[in-house]
Amino acid sequence: MNSIDAFLSGHSIVLNEQQKAALARTSGQTLLLAVPGSGKTTVIIYRLGFLLFQGVDPNSVLTVTFSRAGAKDLKKRFSTVFKDAKVIPSFSTIHSFSLSVIRRYERHYHTFAFDVTNDSAAILRKLYYQKYRTAISENDMAALQTAISLMKNKMASRKTIEETKVASMDFPALYFAYEQYKRDHRLMDYDDMLIYAYRLLKKYPDLLSDYRSRYQYINVDEVQDTSPVQFAIIYLLAGKDGNLFMVGDEDQSIYGFRGADPGEMLMFKKRYPKGNVLLMTQNYRSTKALVDAADAVIRQNTERYDKHMMTDNEPGEKTNLVKVAGKSAAYRYVINAIENIEGQSAVLFRNNESALPLVDLFDRKGINFVFREHSPLFFTHFVVRDILSFMRLAEDFSDIKTFSDIYYKMDLGISKDQMKKLALRSDGESVFDSLLSFTDFSEWQKDKIATRRRQFKRLKKMNPGRCIPYILDVMGYKEHLDFREKQGHRIDGLYQKLDILKVIADNCNHCRDFALRLDELKEIITHQKPLKSYERHVVLSTVHGSKGLEFDNVFLIDCVEGIFPPTEATQDTPEAKKLLNEEIRLFYVGVTRAKSRLTFVCDNSHGAPEISRFIRSYMSEKPKSGREKDSKKALAKIKSFRRKNKENRQTRRKSSRKKRNKTIHHGLQPGMRVEHNQFGGGVVLGVEDEKGVIRFDDGTSRLLNLNYSMETGILRLIKKTP
């Protein structure tokens, strides 16, 4: 009996040949590619045990993973299996290890580095306020922190940072101000630990030598989640000839927004010519029907090794594609199916907010659920706040604060000076009546104000489900969203929030009830009640959050073009192609969570976005011809859905404008050069009646009311040709 068989026999475990081959690689450099459900964690744990069985000092073994939960789980499982081990090998997150390098440097060189800030958000809020004189929104804060973390994990150059755009913020200015603040106060954040540890190990050979002498066996779990700076630290530790064992799956690399890049895994043989790439392709989790379909989908990804997932499990049921008429019908189908199915069920989705209507319905029906990686950011988003403000103003025309929040979002052409004048009116007086008494408005402005007053009166009588499309299509809010799109916001994401609000609103009788329900839902997901282990429940999770988990039944919702994949991944650019590969990997992660049953639930009503190309491929539908043609068609259908009845609305608006304006008198045409009092010089890009888009010299494009801007002198014509 050889040493491996003796070891396995002693622990009563049976491994397949691929798993045994991984166990046997105890020296040199190894990259183990393990498909979903192939027993990756089992191999890691038993390989560590086999190292100790061979006489390796446990103190010389370091296992690195990228979450505290992962490190804790590996340590617990090792201790459970190898109860007799006198010394437990080290299990650490990459960040904890990096901090230990920094502190060791301090002790060794009798110096002091930086303190770890426990509230980087507070610093960023302060810097944002100093620059813009207004508080940063929670959504912008999340986007800003994510972008800063990405720059550091990618070890981005100054040029890359300067070219990075985040919403409508001046990201480079905020980034460099943040870095300067930390230097001035001798602080470092969570990601700085990685940068500093790498620089210290590279700058001080004796410090690096100490770590190499101590840890002669380096193991890395979930290597597909590793960022460039994390890879750089690992490569320094292992050296060119060290014992490095990395485990992961490039097909499950889904954290590009954190800097994870499967490219390093694909470069393994070039970096380590003597190293071995091993495969574990046997899936023990899912039925053969599910495995075969998932394997076919992932082969569309162009950034991968040539491998095939397989299984000896029973054939099982084919995946079910359910097409329903409307989003509400999709949610109702999921609930009914879950109530009549056995086993652990999960509902997965691309974007976190997609689960909110399900949370609403589950709570109303008393169904237990666990919402993983929930976030309250949806409730503070400007779209949600705006809709509630429209409804609130409909209830009370004298609410000057609410009117101040949205007056410029309903296309009234009111200036800041006029708003200051409005603030001086008598308490309890209608803001619309006050505005109509002003003498400095043109007739077309007064007509608009009177029209909005009538519309708000109608809004008050509507149920909340009807209010949302009315605010969007009739009351001028759509034009504001178009403007936001030009500022850099994803229009699909903005409309998805409106769709979600409408589904929730349809279950409420009054606008006040709707506002209260949103508060209740925020409380429900923020403070979820703990469940007993034996209580049946449904798991709600983003696909990202489901990685590493498995369920008997999986329902995938919102798999449509524009969401999964998002529109920016379907363009014909190198960046889009890379993003589309990650979206394919993300879809692959989602479908491989299912053990027995997988169901896609899609809205197939007239004008709804097209069902995702990933589903069509998974269900073995014939692919569309031509990437660019396919993406353009999908984008056109999404825009058609989002802006349905646009032609009718424009016809009505043009007719209305003709009644109050026989001619459009701003006189501007595309190509003309203009000067704006606030934004400076610019060129007119397009004109439709009294509105126009102007691209200013600072690179921004803005939608302006040309009549009002020219009449008040805010905008003036410089010359008729650029």
Side-chain angles (χ1 to χ4, degrees):
M1 182 182 293
N2 61 35
S3 58
I4 291 180
D5 289 336
F7 170 74
L8 295 176
S9 177
H11 290 87
S12 302
I13 184 172
V14 177
L15 300 181
N16 65 33
E17 292 305 313
Q18 289 182 332
Q19 293 170 330
K20 284 184 181 179
L23 202 72
R25 285 287 296 179
T26 56
S27 61
Q29 303 86 45
T30 305
L31 173 61
L32 175 62
L33 303 175
V35 304
S38 61
K40 171 183 69 73
T41 303
T42 297
V43 168
I44 292 173
I45 296 300
Y46 279 94
R47 182 181 173 277
L48 288 172
F50 186 57
L51 283 173
L52 273 56
F53 179 78
Q54 289 185 312
V56 171
D57 181 359
N59 291 312
S60 69
V61 180
L62 172 65
T63 300
V64 177
T65 189
F66 300 96
S67 71
R68 292 174 184 170
K72 184 178 180 181
D73 181 62
L74 286 175
K75 184 175 182 178
K76 181 180 179 181
R77 292 187 63 171
F78 181 88
S79 301
T80 300
V81 174
F82 300 103
K83 298 177 181 178
D84 298 333
K86 295 180 180 179
V87 179
I88 303 296
S90 294
F91 295 88
S92 175
T93 65
I94 188 67
H95 288 87
S96 294
F97 174 80
S98 296
L99 184 59
S100 75
V101 171
I102 296 169
R103 298 308 181 218
R104 187 180 183 90
Y105 157 78
E106 290 176 333
R107 293 192 301 270
H108 189 78
Y109 291 95
H110 306 289
T111 186
F112 171 70
F114 294 155
D115 284 326
V116 180
T117 176
N118 57 7
D119 196 357
S120 60
I123 300 172
L124 290 169
R125 284 193 178 90
K126 179 179 179 181
L127 295 172
Y128 186 94
Y129 185 82
Q130 289 175 352
K131 182 171 179 60
Y132 294 106
R133 293 298 166 187
T134 187
I136 187 172
S137 71
E138 292 303 315
N139 288 272
D140 281 350
M141 172 61 76
L144 180 59
Q145 289 180 302
T146 297
I148 290 173
S149 179
L150 177 62
M151 293 300 105
K152 294 183 178 183
N153 274 275
K154 289 174 59 176
M155 304 174 76
S157 65
R158 185 179 185 90
K159 183 174 183 293
T160 299
I161 295 168
E162 289 173 345
E163 293 175 349
T164 298
K165 296 181 180 180
V166 180
S168 55
M169 293 178 275
D170 184 349
F171 174 73
L174 291 169
Y175 180 93
F176 293 123
Y178 176 59
E179 294 303 288
Q180 187 62 52
Y181 182 96
K182 287 184 297 170
R183 282 193 295 271
D184 292 344
H185 294 80
R186 300 193 65 78
L187 295 172
M188 61 180 170
D189 63 22
Y190 195 60
D191 294 305
D192 288 329
M193 297 179 191
L194 304 172
I195 300 288
Y196 295 157
Y198 169 71
R199 290 174 179 171
L200 291 172
L201 291 172
K202 198 167 180 64
K203 183 177 181 179
Y204 297 98
D206 54 340
L207 183 66
L208 177 59
S209 179
D210 284 348
Y211 275 98
R212 283 182 175 174
S213 297
R214 179 178 178 183
Y215 296 120
Q216 297 175 29
Y217 295 85
I218 309 295
N219 308 296
V220 185
D221 187 22
E222 301 289 5
V223 70
Q224 76 278 345
D225 299 336
T226 309
S227 68
V229 67
Q230 294 166 351
F231 268 115
I233 293 170
I234 291 163
Y235 292 151
L236 281 176
L237 282 177
K240 292 183 179 180
D241 301 312
N243 300 312
L244 176 62
F245 186 79
M246 300 197 297
V247 187
D249 182 9
E250 82 283 12
D251 289 334
Q252 297 183 72
S253 181
I254 59 174
Y255 293 109
F257 63 91
R258 297 180 188 169
D261 186 358
E264 284 289 338
M265 298 176 70
L266 299 174
M267 293 284 289
F268 180 81
K269 285 293 290 183
K270 186 174 182 179
R271 187 178 291 276
Y272 297 109
K274 297 180 181 179
N276 278 12
V277 177
L278 302 181
L279 301 177
M280 287 190 353
T281 57
Q282 184 81 5
N283 179 296
Y284 292 96
R285 173 187 300 158
S286 307
T287 63
K288 182 172 176 55
L290 296 177
V291 168
D292 289 348
D295 185 62
V297 165
I298 196 58
R299 290 204 295 272
Q300 298 177 58
N301 175 22
T302 59
E303 300 174 322
R304 69 188 300 265
Y305 284 94
D306 184 17
K307 65 181 187 293
H308 290 281
M309 180 170 60
M310 60 191 71
T311 187
D312 294 329
N313 290 345
E314 61 183 15
E317 301 177 13
K318 288 187 177 181
T319 298
N320 193 16
L321 171 57
V322 177
K323 300 177 182 180
V324 296
K327 282 185 170 291
S328 294
Y331 293 119
R332 288 195 299 271
Y333 174 86
V334 169
I335 287 181
N336 290 335
I338 287 174
E339 286 183 313
N340 293 283
I341 201 170
E342 295 182 354
Q344 176 66 64
S345 295
V347 184
L348 307 183
F349 29 85
R350 176 64 179 82
N351 298 326
N352 201 297
E353 57 203 30
S354 294
L356 293 176
L358 278 173
V359 171
D360 180 39
L361 293 173
F362 281 154
D363 180 65
R364 291 177 186 276
K365 292 180 71 70
I367 298 174
N368 292 329
F369 65 90
V370 172
F371 192 175
R372 293 175 54 83
E373 294 192 325
H374 55 80
S375 170
L377 290 180
F378 173 86
F379 301 96
T380 61
H381 194 275
F382 76 85
V383 167
V384 179
R385 295 200 312 268
D386 288 348
I387 293 299
L388 291 176
S389 293
F390 272 91
M391 293 179 177
R392 197 157 46 243
L393 185 61
E395 290 290 324
D396 182 4
F397 283 6
S398 68
D399 189 344
I400 181 65
K401 183 181 183 306
T402 296
F403 184 77
S404 299
D405 291 338
I406 59 172
Y407 75 94
Y408 58 95
K409 301 179 180 183
M410 58 177 84
D411 191 28
L412 292 175
I414 300 174
S415 69
K416 290 184 178 179
D417 287 338
Q418 289 164 332
M419 282 301 297
K420 290 178 181 177
K421 183 179 176 181
L422 180 64
L424 300 176
R425 85 207 194 301
S426 300
D427 289 340
E429 187 177 353
S430 163
V431 292
F432 298 105
D433 292 345
S434 298
L435 289 170
L436 289 171
S437 70
F438 291 179
T439 59
D440 54 348
F441 282 123
S442 64
E443 286 303 314
W444 65 264
Q445 282 180 292
K446 287 187 176 181
D447 187 32
K448 273 197 171 182
I449 293 168
T451 298
R452 291 288 181 261
R453 179 175 60 180
R454 290 193 300 271
Q455 291 166 347
F456 271 102
K457 287 180 179 179
R458 294 192 192 104
L459 194 68
K460 183 177 181 179
K461 299 176 182 178
M462 295 180 184
N463 63 50
R466 287 185 58 207
C467 284
I468 294 170
Y470 189 78
I471 291 168
L472 178 69
D473 296 334
V474 179
M475 302 186 70
Y477 191 61
K478 178 192 170 298
E479 283 75 9
H480 178 70
L481 295 188
D482 290 342
F483 172 67
R484 289 282 192 160
E485 181 183 18
K486 292 178 176 66
Q487 285 188 312
H489 290 269
R490 284 184 55 245
I491 194 68
D492 298 325
L494 300 182
Y495 276 101
Q496 186 188 21
K497 288 174 175 59
L498 290 171
D499 289 341
I500 289 167
L501 287 174
K502 187 177 185 311
V503 174
I504 297 172
D506 282 337
N507 292 318
C508 299
N509 295 322
H510 193 278
C511 289
R512 287 191 297 270
D513 300 332
F514 174 60
L516 289 172
R517 186 55 179 165
L518 290 181
D519 287 340
E520 290 172 353
L521 292 176
K522 182 179 180 181
E523 179 68 17
I524 288 168
I525 68 169
T526 305
H527 302 99
Q528 295 184 56
K529 63 179 183 180
L531 297 174
K532 305 293 184 182
S533 58
Y534 57 82
E535 288 184 283
R536 189 169 186 261
H537 64 275
V538 182
V539 173
L540 305 178
S541 176
T542 62
V543 180
H544 282 101
S546 72
K547 187 167 169 289
L549 304 178
E550 58 183 45
F551 310 95
D552 298 306
N553 316 297
V554 168
F555 296 84
L556 261 170
I557 61 173
D558 280 352
C559 289
V560 296
E561 295 291 304
I563 295 179
F564 202 180
T567 304
E568 57 265 31
T570 61
Q571 308 305 304
D572 193 20
T573 66
E575 295 78 13
K577 290 176 182 177
K578 189 175 183 65
L579 181 57
L580 185 61
N581 277 330
E582 176 151 330
E583 291 294 315
I584 293 170
R585 296 193 293 266
L586 184 59
F587 183 81
Y588 175 73
V589 167
V591 297
T592 53
R593 299 310 94 198
K595 294 162 61 176
S596 302
R597 300 178 190 86
L598 174 64
T599 303
F600 300 116
V601 185
C602 300
D603 174 10
N604 197 44
S605 58
H606 178 69
E610 190 173 357
I611 292 174
S612 172
R613 66 193 66 194
F614 301 151
I615 291 181
R616 298 197 302 267
S617 174
Y618 187 94
M619 303 298 290
S620 300
E621 290 187 17
K622 187 177 180 180
K624 305 286 182 181
S625 60
R627 172 197 177 93
E628 183 176 358
K629 179 179 178 182
D630 191 38
S631 64
K632 285 183 178 179
K633 180 179 178 183
L635 181 59
K637 188 162 186 178
I638 294 164
K639 288 184 176 179
S640 173
F641 169 65
R642 301 303 189 189
R643 301 168 187 185
K644 59 186 177 180
N645 298 324
K646 177 179 179 181
E647 294 81 5
N648 292 336
R649 294 197 304 272
Q650 287 179 337
T651 300
R652 290 195 300 270
R653 289 171 185 166
K654 286 180 180 178
S655 176
S656 176
R657 288 175 189 132
K658 286 179 180 178
K659 290 178 182 178
R660 63 177 186 264
N661 273 344
K662 291 186 178 180
T663 59
I664 302 301
H665 56 268
H666 54 68
L668 297 180
Q669 299 292 332
M672 290 182 174
R673 181 138 186 101
V674 294
E675 182 79 18
H676 192 281
N677 287 353
Q678 181 179 352
F679 307 124
V683 176
V684 179
L685 295 184
V687 175
E688 182 181 333
D689 295 336
E690 77 265 32
K691 293 176 189 168
V693 177
I694 299 175
R695 184 181 64 224
F696 290 97
D697 295 342
D698 63 0
T700 62
S701 295
R702 300 178 183 274
L703 178 69
L704 301 179
N705 188 308
L706 301 179
N707 274 354
Y708 173 76
S709 299
M710 295 289 284
E711 283 181 3
T712 57
I714 294 174
L715 187 73
R716 60 187 183 278
L717 178 65
I718 301 300
K719 52 185 177 181
K720 294 190 177 183
T721 56

